[in-house]
Amino acid sequence: MGAPNLDTRLTEYVPGRIWLKKYSVHYAGADFFARTTFIRLNDGRVLVHSPCPIDDALVEQLQNIGPVAHVVAPGSYHYFYVSAWQDAYPEATTWICPGVERKLPGLRFDWLLGDRSPQVWEGQIDQVLVRGTRFIVEVAFFHRASQTLVLTDLVENIGDGSPGGSDWLLRFWWKAVFRMWNRPKPAPEYQMGWSDKAAARASLERILAWDIERVVLAHGDCIEADAKARLREAWATPLAG
Ligand SMILES: [Fe+2]
């Protein structure tokens, strides 16, 4: 069972630069959705961030955007469809967030992501490996030209207006337990344990130093107004560490 009425079309988000696609997710008994981000680099090649299920229609649509050259599993919960993309694009380079190699030992990958951008997107996309977390890890990406921060689970923004946000179990957990319904916050796996708040704060402050105009999230509605203020609010707990 997937999220009802979910618009899963590939949509151009930043003209000529960034495309987004939603897909249904069933996790911990709840239905919601996740979002894949496609970034066209200056050389025309495409980076797939947090890969979604792939099918022939999507491959065909991507042909109009550019060759898929990079498959990125940016977080410790965002690697599920990497091998399907590797099968479709055998020449693509696979980049994973540290920890994914332990969660999925058989996964083929080329490089671990860290704080330094690799040469292939240096100067175009900045990145921070967020430290000081106990249960979940991710690498945050910042696309300079469009001033777009791309996150997986560091902020979730699910509420009344979110497509697929009507699942009762999700609503219960988000409202009653984590108090993050209609209020952007880190995923529960972050909220359940910051192992080193000072380290987390240092990572988050590095992200906040970027000139962020908008935030693309894996779960919930993207943030397009007052982005930095919303981020500071969402991260109030670790930032106070
Ligand atoms: Fe996630």
Side-chain angles (χ1 to χ4, degrees), residues 32 34 77-78 136 152-153 156 187 218-219:
F32 57 118
Y77 287 86
H78 285 259
I136 182 169
T152 53
D153 303 306
E156 296 182 344
H219 311 290

Side-chain angles (χ1 to χ4, degrees), residues 14 17-18 142-149 211 213-214:
V14 174
R17 300 281 193 174
I18 296 179
F142 178 64
H143 183 248
R144 284 190 194 178
S146 64
Q147 297 172 277
T148 304
L149 177 65
D211 198 9
E213 274 294 319
R214 61 181 71 81

